[in-house]
Structure formats: structure tokens, C-alpha cells
Amino acid sequence: MCIHLADPRVGLCFTPAEWTFPHTELQALNYRVFRDLWGRGYHLTSGLKYGGDFLVYPGDPCLVHSHYVAIVLPWQQPIRDLVALGRLGAKVKKNVLLC
């Protein structure tokens, strides 16, 4: 997808840019998880503050608290710290979604 922006009033013309996201396999995986949860009616925000990839809300984040912290793991990655992830969820009072 190319985007071309021009404003004849100001005389500005920006060169077309190629949209190349996602750059890595992990970004593509994060996008697929985001798209799936969003399609199921959840709202998502960044989960970095809670040690995850996304915070998952059952409704508007301004009105409700998140119920889940989603952690995206590549399929080949071993889950060594499963207990630590469970403790993380308990500490922040959220259920952990391993995606």
C-alpha cells in the first residue's frame, strides 16, 4: 500500500511510502493475536506496565478494568517460566493469556 500526501495550498508534496509492517515474525504474531482478540469484542492496550504484551478489556478501557494480561509466545519457544507467568498474573490480579 502506498500513501501519497499533497497539499497544493502550501506547496508540500510528500513522496510515496511503502507500508512494510510487520518487519519481523514476532510483530506478525502480535498482530494476529491483536486481530483475533479485537474480533472477539475485546479492547486492547499495551501490557508492558504489567509484564505482558497486551491488556485485554471486556469493554471500554475508560469504563472497566482489564481482566487479562496477554503474553505472546512464538510456537517454538519453550515455556520455562510458566510458574513465573502465573505469579505475575496473581501479583497484578489478572488472568494470564498465553497466546
Side-chain angles (χ1 to χ4, degrees), residues 21-22 24-36 53-54 71-77 99:
F21 185 83
T24 66
E25 187 59 37
L26 184 59
Q27 288 176 342
L29 185 58
N30 279 330
Y31 171 70
R32 287 192 297 270
V33 169
F34 183 93
R35 186 181 61 195
D36 180 63
D53 294 300
F54 302 109
I71 299 171
V72 180
L73 300 172
W75 183 254
Q76 300 84 3
Q77 180 176 341
C99 306

Side-chain angles (χ1 to χ4, degrees), residues 6-92:
D7 189 346
R9 296 171 293 161
V10 183
L12 295 177
C13 183
F14 299 96
T15 58
E18 185 68 31
W19 182 263
T20 60
F21 185 83
H23 298 290
T24 66
E25 187 59 37
L26 184 59
Q27 288 176 342
L29 185 58
N30 279 330
Y31 171 70
R32 287 192 297 270
V33 169
F34 183 93
R35 186 181 61 195
D36 180 63
L37 291 171
W38 182 263
R40 294 173 190 260
Y42 292 103
H43 293 257
L44 292 95
T45 62
S46 174
L48 292 176
K49 182 177 177 181
Y50 293 96
D53 294 300
F54 302 109
L55 289 179
V56 183
Y57 298 82
D60 185 353
C62 295
L63 303 175
V64 297
H65 290 285
S66 64
H67 289 188
Y68 309 102
V69 58
I71 299 171
V72 180
L73 300 172
W75 183 254
Q76 300 84 3
Q77 180 176 341
I79 305 175
R80 295 184 187 133
D81 300 324
L82 191 56
V83 173
L85 294 173
R87 288 182 181 159
L88 167 76
K91 186 74 171 170
V92 296

